[in-house]
Amino acid sequence: MLLLPVCVSILMGLLAGFLPSVGMEPLPESRFGSDHTQSLESPNSNYSQLTLKLEFASKVVEHEYIVAFTGYFSAKARSLYISSALRNTNDGALEWHIVPRENPASDFPSDFELVHIRQASTSSLLTLEDHPYIKRVTPQRKVFRSLKYIPSPETPAPCNSTHRMQKWQSSRPFRRTSLSLCSTFWHATGRHSSRRLLRAIPRHVAQILQADVLWQMGHTGSGVKVAVFDTGLSEKHPHFKNVKERTNWTNEKTLDDGLGHGTFVAGVIASMRECQGFAPDSELHIFRVFTNNQVSYTSWFLDAFNYAILKKIDVLNLSIGGPDFMDHPFVDKVWELTANKVIMVSAIGNDGPLYGTLNNPADQMDVIGVGGIDFEDNIARFSSRGMTTWELPGGYGRVKPDIVTYGSGVRGSGMKEGCRSLSGTSVASPVVAGAVTLLASTVLNRELVNPASMKQALIASARRLPGVNMFEQGHGKLDLIRAYQILNSYRPQASLSPSYIDLTECPYMWPYCSQPIYYGGMPTIVNVTILNGMAVTGRIVDKPIWQPYLPQNGDHIDVAMSYSPVLWPWAGYLAVSISVAKKAASWEGIAQGHVMVTVASPAENDSEVEGELTSTVKLPIKVKIVPTPPRSKRVLWDQYHNLRYPPGYFPRDNLRMKNDPLDWNGDHIHTNFRDMYQHLRSMGYFVEVLGAPITCFDASQYGTLLMVDSEEEYFPEEITKLRRDIDNGLSLIIFSDWYNTSVMRKVKFYDENTRQWWMPDTGGANVPALNDLISVWGMAFSDGLYEGDFTLADHDMYYASGCSIARFPEDGIVIAKNLKDQGLEVLKQETAVVERVPILGLYQTPSDGGGRIALYGDSNCIDDSHRQKDCFWLLDSLLQYTSYSMTPPSLSHSHSRVASPTASERPLPQRLEGNHLYRYSKVLEAHLGDPKPRPLPACPHLSWAKPQPVNETAPSNLWKHQKLLSVDLDKVALPNVRSYRPQVRPLSPGESGAWDIPGGIMPGRYNQEVGQTIPVFAFLGAMVVLSFFVVQLTKAKSKPKRRKPRIKRPTYLQQQQTTNGKNPTV
Amino acid sequence: MMVLRRLLRKRWVLGVVFGLSLIYFLTSTLKQEERTIRDRTLLEVRDSDHRIPWKVRFNLGNSSRQMSQCRNSIQGKMLLTDELGYVCERKDLLVNGCCNVNAPSTRQYVCKSCLANGCCSVYEYCVSCCLQPDKQPLLERFLNRAAEGLQNLFVAVEDIFELCLAKCRTSSQSVQHENTYRNPQAKYCYGESPPELLVL
């Protein structure tokens, strides 16, 4: 229970001595950030959105006493003192013993002891205190501690070095950026963290992950080629012994690291001293692809990647990422790289805790995407998360990151020498890359190591973190030793990620577990990744088979599958769509079954098997079915009309957020509208996603269609269908956003990365298209651009770059507020307040049983990204109105209510001339003159798999039964595995000594190889010394008078004295 | 203290100290010399008279010779090219890495999908076409130019197969505006010129 007060206090002192300096150490890149000084002055200000509340409770533990000594004594001495002290008590039959403390510090001298004394009288305690070496005796207390995170409403920009640099004029840092954070330690631990610091000792990450076990077995990464794609490395860095080659691919004429990022990353992988890396004997290939100004181009990467292929690199770390997964040359090249057996490890991004922020290339199936955790196994706040967004709007994202590992306050090599702490997923990535390198060197048959088998071993061995969903932690935390065991008994096979589908398992399977499925709902899609360790290409034999479990109501669900025609490179997808069968329309319960997939690959060169290798994998499925909810409870989210970067420039919805000009999070209810989704679920609504045109859903099933921040155009057929649906009782809520052509021209910028001008293709939303959709009801949004705080129905609201309502039917309810004209501010830098801007409108369509329409001019208050004040209450009120026809009195009787604006006022916004929306649109196509709508595509059709029922039952917990085939962890013995002993003594940066290997854990082969040349010199030297000896001895024997010369040589004596003077302790 | 002082006065002790320092000195200096990192700088100008040792040998000529072990293009989704210029399907690859010459679909020196400018839409065909003996003058010319331009990548190739593998890959020459291909259809080029810009 006790937290080693002694050692901890020593540590505290040491940490307090050097940590702040490490934490405050400005990253060199921050030179370029104008506002960095501010963040340096108040490192905590960046973190004000997280308040940590510590609560304590303590109670006395009976019969246990802490005996504090006046100094530090060994365990034996302490025991002696106590027994001698207690011997003096009158109470002869006093029962006592020392409570053993099993911890790494117990070998070291301590100044206290925990004693259990039965029926201790006050007198015996007093006698104890009489002992000369005992300072005091206090009762043992049990401390209960609970941590509470309190997110405060304002969300300032996270302290991300790359974001800090951003100027509106460049999209650069939103593309590929190096993924480390600026003020490191402060970021990791937060403000009130002095107590956490004790437990989050910045130990060597390689030792925490038990790399020393593998080192002791003689594996140190030798023979594995690791490429570090980063900011370079200086030539004579003392931490590295096997730098094979350094190449520069940038336009700066240097190979050295000017930022410290590349050195740190290389250090985590392969440093051999001070802050040790994982694989000190690996062959390091340094690729400098990022300049000191944080610039990099796709073309540099292409050439550098080609060189890596030519050099037959085994493991490649890329602590760099960006949102542009539509950069085809880059994505293709990464595929090519892994197809050439390069194991690619990449950082998932530092854009958390927002969802939908995964970075490329870490989000690719063939790449190992790494997220960050702190030393207490919490997902690091900065770690990017959420599903991949490639598959939107029709499909559903894949699970990423693949695994997580330490990425907060990790120690690695400093730019010139020594160590420093850094945080960021770019720290977590080399931890995995280093581990992968070390693992690869343990495998005897290197042919078995490939990007897929390595990833399979890592994810099968990962330790799941409790209470965290799979879109944050992937398969869990890296476990090096278990990965070693799995990899060393690995047989080529296919596996799935995730390996089972349990839609009832919370929170791991969030968001699936947050909403049960029912008949008539949009099919639930789970996008499973197939990893194929057999060969770079593979295919699915025949078709996957759906086998419902009859005893477990498997026949109540229908399953459809779509999959990659060819699994290349090393991976492919298997999208499983699950729907409820009609016979279960009013049934409630759990249904189970499984899908069987057989993957075949051509046999590899050296295998004995002729022809094809096959591997069959089982994917268990478990779902919860409820009766179809009433229409009013069902909300349909329009995903089809949401566009985002990449590839086009779709500007942010909040123009104040200049450092993040792009709208790139997917605009999905499970990415940046996650909070809104959670809120609607908690209010009892069932939210489904429409990934197809409006013509493709049965409107009679839904109460409300929710369109938020739509950038896409509409097919004429969609407009007609929506009118008919609303006449028949469907309701519509639109959260629009700004669209002003002058402002759009103003926010164009020259993009350093693509070396061309970027002109937005829409505003925050596509208002002209929305106006086409709603014009039939006499409604329209304006091209105004407003901003400001106001109060509505006793709620504080913030209007962040929204438009106003230009036209509205006279019998509707319209709410107006006084707002600032942000358009004027952007264009002319003038401030003007506009009175009574109509922002909210409610309207009941006149037809019998017709639906209702609600319009609001700004989407920022329900969007997680850059949200300042949420307005979920407003969404509730609007849904009450649209779904249940209950007009909220706070709105209908508001004194802000105004007469409906009419057509006579300002003109409606027109589409920006020359916009390139057609390039990214699913609706428009290029045409002479204006782009024209394409023909309406057919609605997606799922072909349900023919069920092959089996009379089986599944175990209640699907997870534990899913591991790689033919791998029995118990069978793989670990020779020389010591029990895990974390190093308690922290190493100060100055502690470096040439051959001082901390803790002496670096084993045999390492030292041998370091000194391959040393024995020769040692032998020569020894010979010299030996001959000197021999000469001396012979001289001494022939001249026995040895004392005389010493007296005769005062100079010699003097010399000795001076030496002694310099070393008084000798 | 006195004992220590006396000990230090002894010659052999000093000798040991000297010897150890000598060993340390020798090892540390020699270790530094030994640390020969191969540094390459892509865009740095080297001495003009620096000759790059070309290891590429153009001795293809006889294509019918038998090889016990072949290198091949590894990465292909469906197709592979071996170092003799044969293109075959993955299933027709022999255990030694060579294409099965007797398989019906196996062809040597295939220039299918390749345009006149030396750009192809299939990587494996590009490599095969590049290995064709009549492309030798073109490649030699290119290599000489690459030597002048000091293109890192091509300095490191060991022979013509590696050259063709490297030459056919998409590179900085294949893109415009960094994130789009100049020509998404024919992007693998063995020729001297970059892909023709496809105007959308």
Side-chain angles (χ1 to χ4, degrees), chain B residues 2-68:
Chain B
M2 277 308 288
V3 180
L4 275 171
R5 202 172 291 171
R6 202 171 296 159
L7 199 71
L8 274 166
R9 275 180 207 156
K10 289 196 173 150
R11 268 191 207 180
W12 66 269
V13 173
L14 289 170
V16 167
V17 169
F18 170 75
L20 287 175
S21 349
L22 186 74
I23 294 169
Y24 179 75
F25 170 74
L26 284 174
T27 47
S28 55
T29 39
L30 285 164
K31 207 178 109 245
Q32 285 215 334
E33 274 173 37
E34 204 201 13
R35 184 195 275 253
T36 46
I37 304 167
R38 290 172 67 205
D39 286 343
R40 290 164 189 272
T41 311
L42 186 67
L43 301 163
E44 257 175 59
V45 183
R46 296 193 197 179
D47 312 333
S48 54
D49 56 4
H50 179 85
R51 290 294 299 168
I52 288 148
W54 289 112
K55 294 169 198 156
V56 185
R57 297 183 313 276
F58 294 95
N59 58 352
L60 268 175
N62 187 6
S63 56
S64 60
R65 75 202 149 105
Q66 292 297 309
M67 291 191 85
S68 57

Side-chain angles (χ1 to χ4, degrees), chain A residues 222-268:
Chain A
S222 56
V224 181
K225 294 181 183 174
V226 199
V228 177
F229 276 60
D230 221 293
T231 55
L233 180 67
S234 62
E235 189 181 355
K236 293 202 169 89
H237 198 289
H239 289 179
F240 303 98
K241 64 172 168 186
N242 201 5
V243 180
K244 205 73 181 172
E245 186 176 26
R246 302 186 303 154
T247 47
N248 175 35
W249 304 86
T250 68
N251 55 5
E252 288 179 339
K253 289 177 181 174
T254 177
L255 288 155
D256 295 342
D257 183 6
L259 288 177
H261 192 268
T263 311
F264 187 95
V265 166
V268 171

